Amino acid sequence: MCEANAYLMEKDEPRLVMEAVDKVEPVEDGLRLENIFGEQKFFKARIHSLSLVDHKVFLAAE
Amino acid sequence: MCEANAYLMEKDEPRLVMEAVDKVEPVEDGLRLENIFGEQKFFKARIHSLSLVDHKVFLAAE
């Protein structure tokens, strides 16, 4: 499985906000994240960058 | 290895633009993609969505 952990970029350092993320999709007011267990979270953010071999997705608050 | 294939979303269907992508980072005028072989490509695009278990990163032209 090639899921990743999602981090929200904050002032000091990235904060882990969701593990085992499969899908990230734009919604009206930000992003919908869905992990491999079917759990969903919403963030007022955009996808900032990816480091896939490290299993990391970085989000930036809008 | 958990690299992914990058697709640029076009009118008809997504077009594969780079395989085995590791890193995606914002640059001044778009995105820099780097694959696991160290090759780089630049696109005037943003990250649209992710489907990581399917190893897919979707880009949308700016």
Side-chain angles (χ1 to χ4, degrees), chain B residues 8 12 14-16 21 23-24 32 34-36 43 47 49 51 53 55-57 60-61:
Chain B
L8 189 62
D12 295 336
R15 177 169 61 91
L16 179 64
V21 174
K23 294 184 188 302
V24 181
R32 184 179 67 85
E34 183 177 331
N35 69 12
I36 60 170
F43 297 94
I47 305 170
S49 56
S51 185
V53 172
H55 297 248
K56 291 182 179 178
V57 171

Side-chain angles (χ1 to χ4, degrees), chain A residues 1-2 4 21-24 26 36 47-53 55 57, chain B residues 1-2 4 21-24 26 36 47-53 55 57:
Chain A
M1 296 291 273
C2 280
V21 174
D22 173 16
K23 293 183 189 300
V24 180
I36 60 171
I47 305 170
H48 176 269
S49 55
L50 309 174
S51 185
L52 296 173
V53 172
H55 297 249
V57 171
Chain B
M1 295 292 275
C2 280
V21 174
D22 173 16
K23 294 184 188 302
V24 181
I36 60 170
I47 305 170
H48 176 269
S49 56
L50 308 174
S51 185
L52 296 174
V53 172
H55 297 248
V57 171

Side-chain angles (χ1 to χ4, degrees), chain A residues 1 3 7 9-10 18-19 23-24 26-27 29-31 36-37 39 41 44-46 50 53 55-56 58 61:
Chain A
M1 296 291 273
E3 70 279 4
Y7 297 82
M9 296 174 65
E10 296 185 337
M18 193 174 203
E19 293 182 296
K23 293 183 189 300
V24 180
V27 292
D29 204 24
L31 294 172
I36 60 171
F37 311 109
E39 297 167 342
K41 288 188 179 181
K44 285 190 179 179
R46 58 186 169 77
L50 309 174
V53 172
H55 297 249
K56 292 182 178 178
F58 295 99

